[in-house]
Amino acid sequence: QVQLVESGGGLVQAGKSLRLSCAASGSISNINVMGWYRRAPGKQRELVARLTSTGTTYYADSVKGRFTISRDNAKNVVYLQMNSLKPEDTAVYYCNMQIEYSYYWGQGTQVTVSS
């Protein structure tokens, strides 16, 4: 079984930074894609950032230039560095990994940005 455990969420003021981490454990083989999603109150879940095994990245327009996704292959960890946070970034953030042909989700971590 594979488990994803997120950490790093919290309450911060606008303009500050947070770094989220998501560690995969269990039967890990090839991690093809690592990504971060978020769900804000009253809104649908959206893809925030994604990183493939070949290094291709994707960022939602709303976070380009502020967020950076990265990975530590040796530790099976994906990070989301979030700078210049805005109140509209407030959401529950979920990590997602495609391992072989299956998709796995973390439990979510709350990020709250105060104005």
Side-chain angles (χ1 to χ4, degrees):
Q1 292 295 331
V2 174
Q3 285 190 320
L4 304 185
V5 178
E6 298 136 343
S7 60
L11 171 64
V12 295
Q13 290 184 325
K16 300 297 186 180
S17 299
L18 278 177
R19 189 177 82 155
L20 305 182
S21 301
C22 174
S25 63
S27 180
I28 307 295
S29 51
N30 295 318
I31 302 178
N32 299 314
V33 182
M34 293 176 160
W36 288 94
Y37 291 73
R38 68 185 180 187
R39 177 174 283 154
K43 296 187 177 181
Q44 291 187 332
R45 184 177 62 194
E46 64 170 342
L47 174 61
V48 176
R50 182 176 59 213
L51 175 61
T52 71
S53 58
T54 59
T56 301
T57 56
Y58 163 86
Y59 293 97
D61 288 341
S62 58
V63 307
K64 281 181 182 177
R66 300 188 298 122
F67 290 11
T68 303
I69 188 170
S70 61
R71 62 194 288 175
D72 184 330
N73 290 327
K75 297 180 179 179
N76 294 323
V77 175
V78 61
Y79 303 98
L80 186 67
Q81 177 67 42
M82 305 185 294
N83 299 329
S84 302
L85 282 162
K86 304 176 180 180
E88 51 263 44
D89 294 319
T90 295
V92 178
Y93 285 71
Y94 300 89
C95 73
N96 172 269
M97 295 189 188
Q98 182 192 7
I99 301 173
E100 290 296 341
Y101 300 106
S102 299
Y103 292 85
Y104 299 90
W105 291 90
Q107 80 283 359
T109 185
Q110 177 70 47
V111 172
T112 302
V113 184
S114 63
S115 57

